[in-house]
Every structure is written in structure tokens, then in C-alpha cells.
Amino acid sequence: MDLEKISASVKPRNGWQSIDLGILMVRAWWKPLFGSWFLFTLPIFLVINVLTFVNLYLPLFLFWWLKPFFETVLLYYLSRALFGDFLSIRQTVKDFPAQGRIQMFQHLTYRRFSPFRSLSMPVSQLEKLTGSQRRQRISLLLKKVDVKVLGSITICVHLEFFLAIAFNVLYFLFIPIDPMEQNFEIFSIFPNSEGIWSTFFGNLMTYLSISLIAPFHVAAGFSIYINRRASLEGWDIELIFRRIKARYKKEQESRQYLNSINGLNNTNSV
């Protein structure tokens, strides 16, 4: 981690400003973030729907449960891009498997419903801390973070829910007949479909709503994490001292150069 390559301004921020920084990250890097997300998650979503076609709503539940695993690909890109290493979409997905294995069993079991997941995952994935060290680190990071700000990240969950409803309503609005009609089936041209296709498209609308919000959720938690680390470790002060050192070194080199020129002039005059 080279602080001199950091692509964001290092300064103390409150919680809301940290979340704003996360939103700006998504705005700046939306192409690789959404590209990596869809390239990685869409094939898995389709495979889950094919393998679990017996229970039509099981694919959506499984995809939702695996969200911490999928969010890691976004966290991986953000952690590299913030420090000047801008990976391509293909490279991000290619490098991801090694990163995605880190403590993923814990994230998909007893940590699954943690309200601080977006803030605690960088501790596991980036710092690779476990056990008591991880717990102490997270408690330290949460110490001066406004709980209301952390709670505001759960707004993303509500946005996913409302977007899912909106997309599904939009889907039914384009159907020219009453969807509540008995034995209604828009895809009746497919034999023995029995609602499979309409349910699949409903699941697809929910998948899109999750996909649109996920980068903002991950980036908000990551930016709060970065802000707390910067405050605890004095990144802004360290950068100031590094700049002073670099300026002093440059002045010393300039003096040595001038002295060497003066020495040559004196020799020639003699």
C-alpha cells in the first residue's frame, strides 16, 4: 500500500462525507465495477436458476445468501483502484478466486446478518486478520463511527427491495392482459412451462435491483473503513512528512548540482 499513489484526497472526514466518497468512487469507476460484477455474478445466477428449477424461488434466495461472496469482487477492485492500480474487468475476475476464499465460510454463516458487514469485510479480506485480532480491530474501527451513519448503509437494503418491486411492476405493466387472470401465463407458447419463465423473469428483475445497489453498498462501507484507518494511522500527517522529505531531498540534490558546477567553473578559471 503506497500512500503516495492514493487517488483520493487524504483528510479527516465525518461518516456522511465518507459515504459521499464511496459514491464518488462508484461514479468514477462504474464501468469496471459493474462490468466485474455482471461478468462474475450473471453466469452464476443463470446456473443457479437452471439447477434449482424445481423450486422457482430458491434461486433468488441462494443468490441473495451468496451476496458476501459476490461483493468481494467489488471490494477487491476498489482496494486496488484507490491506490492507483486500475485493473481491467477480466483481470479483476481472474484474480478474484484467491481473494474470494479468504474467510468466506464465516461470511456466509454466522457473519451473514452482521449490520456492519461492509465495514468488517475489508478487515478480513484486505488485512487478513482472524480471531481476537479481527474482533479488536473491528471494535477499534467502530469506536468513533456514528451508528446512525452505519445504519444508513442499510438504506441500500431498502433500495434493493423497492427497486425489485418497481422492476416487477414494470414487467407486468408491459403485459397486455390481466396478470391476475386464472391460469395466466405470458409464456404459454412454451409447452409445460407452468409459470417457470414468468418466475424466472421476476427473479431476473430482483437480480438487477441487487446488482444496481451492490457497488454503492460495498463502496460506502469501504470508504468508511479507509477513513477510520486514515484517522487512526495518521495518513494525512504521514503524507505531509513524506512531501517535506521529498522537497528537502530535491533541494539537497539541487545544491549538490550547483556546487559541482561551481567547482568546475573554479577549476577552469585556474
Side-chain angles (χ1 to χ4, degrees), residues 160-173 205:
E160 288 178 3
F161 176 73
F162 289 122
L163 274 178
I165 292 177
F167 284 151
N168 278 281
V169 169
L170 183 65
Y171 161 69
F172 282 113
L173 283 175
M205 297 299 103

Side-chain angles (χ1 to χ4, degrees), residues 171-172 174-177 179 183-190 193 195 197-199 201:
Y171 161 69
F172 282 113
F174 280 95
I175 298 172
I177 57 176
N183 299 323
F184 164 74
E185 178 52 65
I186 186 173
F187 295 99
S188 57
I189 58 174
F190 297 98
S193 59
W197 284 101
S198 59
T199 305
F201 271 80

Side-chain angles (χ1 to χ4, degrees), residues 65 68 102-117 120-121 123-125 129-131 134-135 138:
W65 190 269
I102 301 173
Q103 301 186 42
M104 194 49 60
F105 175 79
Q106 293 90 327
H107 289 306
L108 294 178
T109 51
Y110 61 90
R111 296 178 191 167
R112 178 62 184 82
F113 295 101
S114 171
F116 309 123
R117 188 177 78 239
S120 62
M121 280 189 70
V123 178
S124 306
Q125 303 299 125
L129 298 180
T130 58
R134 178 182 176 276
R135 289 192 294 272
I138 291 174

Side-chain angles (χ1 to χ4, degrees), residues 2-3 12 21 28 37 43 46 77 89-90 102 153 166 182 185 187 191 198 211 225 250 267:
D2 189 352
L3 291 181
L21 176 61
W37 171 270
L46 295 175
Y77 180 84
I89 295 173
R90 182 174 296 180
I102 301 173
I153 299 176
Q182 189 175 6
E185 178 52 65
F187 295 99
S198 59
S211 300
Y225 163 80
K250 196 173 286 186
T267 303

Side-chain angles (χ1 to χ4, degrees), residues 72-182:
T72 311
V73 74
L74 301 173
L75 178 61
Y76 176 68
Y77 180 84
L78 289 168
S79 65
R80 300 291 294 269
L82 184 64
F83 294 95
D85 188 5
F86 300 100
L87 302 176
S88 64
I89 295 173
R90 182 174 296 180
Q91 188 65 38
T92 303
V93 176
K94 182 180 177 181
D95 293 348
F96 171 71
Q99 190 74 16
R101 290 195 297 266
I102 301 173
Q103 301 186 42
M104 194 49 60
F105 175 79
Q106 293 90 327
H107 289 306
L108 294 178
T109 51
Y110 61 90
R111 296 178 191 167
R112 178 62 184 82
F113 295 101
S114 171
F116 309 123
R117 188 177 78 239
S118 60
L119 177 63
S120 62
M121 280 189 70
V123 178
S124 306
Q125 303 299 125
L126 306 180
E127 299 185 46
K128 297 180 175 60
L129 298 180
T130 58
S132 59
Q133 289 183 329
R134 178 182 176 276
R135 289 192 294 272
Q136 291 172 6
R137 182 66 166 170
I138 291 174
S139 64
L140 182 63
L141 292 173
L142 291 173
K143 204 166 188 179
K144 290 188 178 180
V145 175
D146 190 350
V147 176
K148 293 181 180 178
V149 173
L150 284 174
S152 70
I153 299 176
T154 60
I155 293 173
C156 294
V157 177
H158 295 84
L159 288 175
E160 288 178 3
F161 176 73
F162 289 122
L163 274 178
I165 292 177
F167 284 151
N168 278 281
V169 169
L170 183 65
Y171 161 69
F172 282 113
L173 283 175
F174 280 95
I175 298 172
I177 57 176
D178 184 5
M180 304 308 294
E181 182 182 331
Q182 189 175 6

Side-chain angles (χ1 to χ4, degrees), residues 64-75:
W64 173 82
W65 190 269
L66 291 172
K67 269 184 66 181
F69 177 61
F70 300 140
E71 288 170 351
T72 311
V73 74
L74 301 173
L75 178 61

Side-chain angles (χ1 to χ4, degrees), residues 231-249:
S231 300
L232 290 169
E233 300 171 18
W235 287 3
D236 52 339
I237 298 173
E238 183 177 347
L239 279 173
I240 290 172
F241 279 114
R242 286 189 182 186
R243 287 166 187 159
I244 293 173
K245 182 181 177 181
R247 191 182 310 150
Y248 176 76
K249 185 178 179 181

